[in-house]
Amino acid sequence: MSDEFSTVCVLGLGYIGLPTASVLATQGFQVIGVDVAPHIVETVNAGAIHIEEPGLQTVVCAAIQSGKLRAALQPESADVFIIAVPTPLTSEKKADMRFVIQAGESIVPHLRRGTLVILESTSPPGICRDLIMPILERSGLNVGEDVHLAYCPERVLPGRILTEFITND
């Protein structure tokens, strides 16, 4: 675990966000998982899951019991923010980026020098530069100098998410 990055805020507790948050918590990071749905936050805080994924219940329960994972409706200050929200297709077959925009806007008040923001949501090329960077710079911090921004889409198969999350390069 890096001394620089000890707290992680994962935005979106779906098929990618919840396994990500849980695995990071079991590896010693202090993790807050954020979702806009109160029933998801309550379920996760109870050590349960709202999605079907082999092995996930055990990891979530262990992460919650360790005190390293908790869920909330709003983001809090962290060293790393991982945006793992849905990007459904519009009727025009384009990525609907409104959840990514909302997630980016929600973390602006919590950014500070050295913060790392990772967009994990499946997004079109250039979205970090053209959409996320201007949102983050509303904080008064410069992306690339004060705040770090990366794009790292998770590529996993349902039913094997935990295995692939841990073993894929």
Side-chain angles (χ1 to χ4, degrees):
M1 180 171 69
S2 168
D3 290 335
E4 290 182 53
F5 300 126
S6 60
T7 58
V8 180
C9 180
V10 178
L11 293 100
L13 293 176
Y15 280 95
I16 299 301
L18 185 56
T20 300
S22 302
V23 169
L24 288 171
T26 62
Q27 296 302 306
F29 291 90
Q30 193 65 48
V31 181
I32 179 163
V34 177
D35 205 282
V36 296
H39 76 278
I40 292 175
V41 170
E42 292 167 10
T43 300
V44 171
N45 281 332
I49 58 174
H50 63 286
I51 55 178
E52 292 293 321
E53 183 61 35
L56 184 58
Q57 172 66 56
T58 302
V59 178
V60 169
C61 188
I64 291 291
Q65 288 179 348
S66 74
K68 294 289 188 178
L69 173 65
R70 68 182 172 81
L73 292 169
Q74 297 290 326
E76 298 175 9
S77 292
D79 302 316
V80 179
F81 290 91
I82 300 174
I83 300 173
V85 296
T87 51
L89 291 178
T90 66
S91 58
E92 296 85 30
K93 305 280 189 232
K94 295 184 178 185
D96 182 344
M97 301 306 294
R98 70 187 141 145
F99 300 122
V100 171
I101 292 168
Q102 291 169 355
E105 290 173 342
S106 75
I107 66 173
V108 167
H110 305 287
L111 297 177
R112 60 183 185 265
R113 288 189 188 285
T115 300
L116 170 62
V117 178
I118 302 170
L119 176 61
E120 214 168 321
S121 302
T122 303
S123 304
I127 213 70
C128 282
R129 178 192 63 235
D130 300 337
L131 182 68
I132 301 300
M133 188 169 77
I135 291 171
L136 300 181
E137 288 187 338
R138 291 180 197 160
S139 67
L141 299 169
N142 293 317
V143 171
E145 294 175 30
D146 305 317
V147 175
H148 308 286
L149 176 60
Y151 178 57
C152 183
E154 192 61 54
R155 302 289 185 222
V156 292
L157 295 171
R160 293 187 40 84
I161 292 174
L162 285 175
T163 301
E164 291 188 4
F165 183 73
I166 293 167
T167 61
N168 284 358
D169 288 339

